[in-house]
Amino acid sequence: MSLLTHLLSCLFGLGSWVSINGLWVELPLIVPQIPEGWFLPSYLSVLIQMANVGPLFVTLMHRFKPGVLNEAAVVYVIIALGTVASFLLGFLWKETLVVAGAPRSVALLVLTFFLATVDCTSSVTFLPFMMRLQPQYLTSYFIGEGVSGLLPAMVALIQGVGVVRCVNATQSTNQTSNATSELQAQYQPANFSAEEFFFFLSAMMLVCLAAFILLNYHPSVARENPNSRYTNGVKQKAQRGRKWAEQKPMMEPYGQKKPKSSFGSGSYSWLQVSYIFVVLGWANALTNVVLPSVQSYSCLPYGNNAYHLSASLAAVANPLACFIAMFLPIRSLVLMGVLTVCGSAVGAFIMSMAVLSPCPLLVHDSAGAVIIVLSWVLFVLTLSYVKVMIGLILRDEGHSALVCCGAVVQLGSLLGAATMFPLVSVFGFFSSGDPCNTRCP
């Protein structure tokens, strides 16, 4: 194993979702300065799902025109597009145009759509690219993918985004009664501007581009992978087929064993393949959309510190799960099911606290804050490990399996968004808590 290749794989994975993750954590700073206000998160959710046209196109090309799509060129294009779009956001995010008689942040929305297209398409292009490297480097890629959420969150914390100070505010019920005092949430000014943050995101995409170039052309990577030219998986698949045909008589001297299915290497039956993809879609729906959409509702009633701790430690839990998988690369379908059930149970608890907001269980007790923070860490840790397990399994099944993996990741996120968007943004099913005042019996 090469430490350089591990590092490059991690930096390559960093570019997968860093742009959109960065945009989400910057919302508290952006929202007060644009005409859309807090309707912007709803618009972003719709734009991100519309951006699934990118992975849909790539998946259909693999299905009906295998070998025609030059995936290396696609990776170069989407990384370059993400770099340029992030850079332009630094100049244009506050600019507005009058549309239908009202000012709209057209530049922000259009550039966000491009960023979402880049990140969504990375699911069906970055993962298949990792097929040309040794299997152990896929875990490093997943670590980088986890860091793509952690790094923007850490920078936003340094920036001071969303930091609240509770100050006394006087409130009078009538002219004759005494004034009553309550705490009022006051957001602190940022340490540096949103423009500088977007330039940072653009720099991270450049780092991803440099890592991709080195993974393609660096001599040490080429020496470790003699057939390292990126060929859409066609050449590698043919070579694996010839090698398997040569070794098979020696491995099975007493007769040939029929493959369980025509999927990948045939190691799994169609029932097992369906099970793997259902778990993959479910885990990504929960971790990418369903639970993050209610994180503030589940945490803010316990205080602003609980909210920030849950967001920060959950972001750490993702790459931590990938790091654990590097040393414990288990592929057990039974363990996958057990971890999925456990993670889903913890997610159900978090969802129930969000439903009970602004008065969840133990809201007046410090133990409540500890429990909700640990719940978020455990939820992300278990399901992130499940996603890495599935990635390792599908990597063994070949290039097409990893393309399907990326497509199912996006499909799960799409179904999760279609479920949560009306509940959160249309019907107002959840009630937000006040980080400074708890009004519960």
Side-chain angles (χ1 to χ4, degrees):
M1 289 191 298
S2 165
L3 181 60
L4 174 64
T5 309
H6 275 296
L7 177 60
L8 293 177
S9 300
C10 183
L11 293 177
F12 178 54
L14 174 65
S16 58
W17 283 94
V18 69
S19 301
I20 289 298
N21 287 333
L23 189 60
W24 278 111
V25 299
E26 197 70 0
L27 284 181
L29 196 61
I30 295 174
V31 162
Q33 304 183 57
I34 60 173
E36 288 78 10
W38 279 108
F39 285 106
L40 180 63
S42 299
Y43 296 156
L44 294 186
S45 299
V46 174
L47 288 172
I48 291 171
Q49 302 316 314
M50 289 172 59
N52 279 304
V53 65
L56 177 62
F57 170 76
V58 173
T59 304
L60 291 177
M61 287 293 293
H62 276 290
R63 176 64 181 85
F64 297 106
K65 298 287 185 180
V68 172
L69 187 67
N70 188 337
E71 284 182 327
V74 174
V75 173
Y76 280 119
V77 168
I78 64 174
I79 296 178
L81 180 61
T83 303
V84 173
S86 301
F87 186 75
L88 290 178
L89 270 176
F91 297 99
L92 303 175
W93 70 272
K94 286 192 293 186
E95 300 298 323
T96 60
L97 292 175
V98 177
V99 179
R104 302 292 179 189
S105 303
V106 175
L108 174 62
L109 296 176
V110 170
L111 291 173
T112 298
F113 174 76
F114 287 135
L115 289 179
T117 303
V118 167
D119 290 359
C120 290
T121 309
S122 71
S123 298
V124 292
T125 53
F126 286 20
L127 269 176
F129 167 77
M130 296 302 298
M131 187 68 199
R132 67 183 284 271
L133 302 177
Q134 299 297 327
Q136 60 267 24
Y137 298 123
L138 183 62
T139 307
S140 300
Y141 169 84
F142 280 122
I143 292 176
E145 194 174 72
V147 173
S148 72
L150 172 63
L151 186 60
M154 294 296 99
V155 174
L157 283 177
I158 296 172
Q159 186 183 15
V161 171
V163 175
V164 174
R165 184 178 65 178
C166 298
V167 297
N168 286 324
T170 303
Q171 184 181 32
S172 179
T173 56
N174 54 54
Q175 294 181 351
T176 58
S177 65
N178 294 329
T180 60
S181 178
E182 68 172 10
L183 295 177
Q184 185 179 44
Q186 185 178 83
Y187 287 91
Q188 301 301 295
N191 295 321
F192 54 88
S193 67
E195 288 84 354
E196 293 170 293
F197 185 84
F198 288 129
F199 294 149
F200 160 76
L201 294 182
S202 182
M204 290 301 97
M205 292 303 297
L206 282 176
V207 169
C208 173
L209 178 60
F212 180 65
I213 294 173
L214 291 174
L215 285 173
N216 271 290
Y217 299 108
H218 196 280
S220 67
V221 179
R223 282 194 299 270
E224 191 174 2
N225 303 278
N227 301 312
S228 60
R229 181 66 63 183
Y230 192 19
T231 56
N232 301 341
V234 176
K235 182 178 178 181
Q236 294 92 329
K237 185 175 181 180
Q239 290 170 340
R240 285 196 304 271
R242 289 195 298 270
K243 185 177 180 181
W244 172 254
E246 294 170 358
Q247 294 177 347
K248 198 170 184 180
M250 295 183 291
M251 296 171 62
E252 299 178 8
Y254 300 107
Q256 295 183 349
K257 183 179 179 181
K258 292 183 179 180
K260 295 181 180 180
S261 71
S262 59
F263 180 82
S265 65
S267 303
Y268 299 95
S269 67
W270 280 115
L271 181 61
Q272 291 173 320
V273 171
S274 300
Y275 163 72
I276 290 170
F277 280 125
V278 167
V279 171
L280 178 63
W282 173 257
N284 279 279
L286 293 184
T287 56
N288 295 351
V289 180
V290 175
L291 270 300
S293 65
V294 298
Q295 186 168 24
S296 61
Y297 300 105
S298 66
C299 298
L300 273 180
Y302 297 102
N304 196 58
N305 287 335
Y307 174 63
H308 278 284
L309 273 176
S310 66
S312 302
L313 294 181
V316 173
N318 192 326
L320 176 61
C322 302
F323 187 75
I324 293 173
M326 181 178 292
F327 298 97
L328 294 173
I330 303 172
R331 293 168 171 81
S332 168
L333 299 185
V334 175
L335 178 61
M336 180 196 305
V338 171
L339 290 177
T340 302
V341 170
C342 293
S344 300
V346 176
F349 170 77
I350 294 172
M351 180 62 73
S352 65
M353 296 303 100
V355 171
L356 293 174
S357 177
C359 299
L361 299 178
L362 299 175
V363 67
H364 295 294
D365 195 329
S366 58
V370 173
I371 291 173
I372 197 66
V373 171
L374 290 178
S375 297
W376 269 101
V377 172
L378 186 60
F379 165 74
V380 174
L381 188 68
T382 52
L383 291 187
S384 295
Y385 187 81
V386 167
K387 291 192 288 185
V388 177
M389 287 176 66
I390 296 176
L392 294 174
I393 290 172
L394 296 179
R395 196 269 176 216
D396 294 340
E397 297 306 302
H399 178 271
S400 298
L402 285 180
V403 174
C404 293
C405 176
V408 172
V409 166
Q410 293 307 120
L411 178 61
S413 300
L414 174 62
L415 294 177
T419 302
M420 295 306 298
F421 178 77
L423 293 178
V424 176
S425 302
V426 178
F427 300 110
F429 188 74
F430 300 91
S431 300
S432 180
D434 190 326
C436 294
N437 301 284
T438 302
R439 300 181 178 89
C440 295

